[in-house]
Amino acid sequence: MFLCSMKPMIIYCYDAYCGWCYGFSPVIKKIAEDYKDKLPVEVLSGGMIISDHPTPISNIAGIVQQGYKRVEELTGIKFGEEFLWHVLNPEKSDWFLNSEKPAIALCIFKEYYPEQQTAFAGDLQYALNFEGRDLTDDEAYRHLLEKYTINPEDFYTKLHSEAYKEKAYYEFQLCKQLQVTGYPCVLLQSSDSKFYLLSRGYSDYDTIKTRIENVLKELGI
């Protein structure tokens, strides 16, 4: 089942552990602000790192070591020293990666502030990639609860509930049904069954905006 939409909307498929999504965060946040009165943005977590077995950071450290400078050069984003320490010293790091908890956190947040979900997704990625917070640790989210005045007891109860875990896994399945194979991926949904691909992988702001305007012109909006 796809997202049911009575009016056009932007769908942003991302993952909290995706470095290119981190670089794309300023772009999608600006797009969300520019089109807030015309095209709401729905952020879906893709479940990039999901496993029944713990995934140590050493599994992806080599890829990140080779790619993070390219992300910085192309997007202008900066990775923080605290994050890079784990990437550059994977044998010393105690990090185990799992997309599940940040996806659940996003599902919870969207119920509080649906209009700010792109900002919150960006905050999760900043917490990981710049501040070096471990997103599998409950405490990695506490500063965001303060920022958005969310009741901690309510949030942590939901974070460990089966109901919100199911919501997160439903989003993973939606991304699969949308045939998303990499992140970031941005679509414009014009009806229950009609989707326009705006970006597969990183695109800059001007490119995304031009594609949106072309679709809106085609739709007569």
Side-chain angles (χ1 to χ4, degrees):
M1 180 184 295
F2 291 127
L3 292 168
C4 293
S5 178
M6 297 300 293
K7 67 175 186 177
M9 66 186 297
I10 292 172
I11 301 173
Y12 171 41
C13 300
Y14 102 120
D15 191 90
Y17 284 99
C18 167
W20 282 106
C21 296
Y22 172 52
F24 186 65
S25 288
V27 174
I28 193 64
K29 283 191 284 188
K30 185 166 174 50
I31 290 293
E33 177 63 25
D34 287 354
Y35 290 94
K36 63 183 179 182
D37 297 325
K38 187 179 291 187
L39 291 170
V41 178
E42 180 74 19
V43 184
L44 298 178
S45 298
M48 188 174 76
I49 304 175
I50 296 293
S51 175
D52 293 333
H53 306 288
T55 304
I57 193 170
S58 58
N59 282 25
I60 68 165
I63 297 172
V64 179
Q65 289 170 17
Q66 295 173 16
Y68 83 89
K69 291 183 180 179
R70 176 61 177 156
V71 176
E72 290 184 335
E73 291 169 359
L74 188 62
T75 72
I77 207 83
K78 292 297 179 185
F79 290 83
E81 292 182 6
E82 289 81 1
F83 169 75
L84 291 176
W85 183 89
H86 291 274
V87 170
L88 299 175
N89 301 278
E91 73 285 351
K92 299 178 182 177
S93 175
D94 60 354
W95 277 13
F96 289 87
L97 313 179
N98 194 318
S99 298
E100 181 181 290
K101 188 168 288 186
I104 296 172
L106 179 62
C107 287
I108 298 168
F109 180 86
K110 287 196 288 188
E111 292 190 348
Y112 287 101
Y113 303 109
E115 73 286 354
Q116 296 188 56
Q117 52 190 283
T118 54
F120 186 75
D123 286 343
L124 288 178
Q125 297 204 294
Y126 184 83
L128 170 70
N129 292 289
F130 192 84
E131 298 175 327
R133 299 178 190 266
D134 179 0
L135 296 184
T136 66
D137 181 356
D138 285 5
E139 291 303 308
Y141 304 88
R142 193 170 295 276
H143 70 296
L144 295 178
L145 305 184
E146 296 171 359
K147 176 179 179 178
Y148 290 98
T149 62
I150 295 173
N151 180 275
E153 183 178 355
D154 184 51
F155 175 83
Y156 285 116
T157 296
K158 291 177 178 177
L159 189 66
H160 293 281
S161 73
E162 192 64 29
Y164 284 86
K165 180 178 178 180
E166 289 176 0
K167 289 177 185 289
Y169 277 80
Y170 179 70
E171 291 195 0
F172 300 162
Q173 289 302 314
L174 277 177
C175 287
K176 288 181 180 178
Q177 290 185 43
L178 291 168
Q179 299 181 352
V180 175
T181 56
Y183 310 97
C185 182
V186 186
L187 304 161
L188 194 156
Q189 180 180 6
S190 62
S191 68
D192 287 350
S193 59
K194 181 67 173 179
F195 299 84
Y196 295 83
L197 179 65
L198 300 178
S199 181
R200 179 180 286 119
Y202 177 82
S203 295
D204 62 27
Y205 169 79
D206 290 337
T207 299
I208 296 283
K209 187 174 179 66
T210 298
R211 290 171 180 168
I212 291 173
E213 290 299 323
N214 288 339
V215 172
L216 294 181
K217 184 178 180 179
E218 179 181 329
L219 296 174
I221 298 176

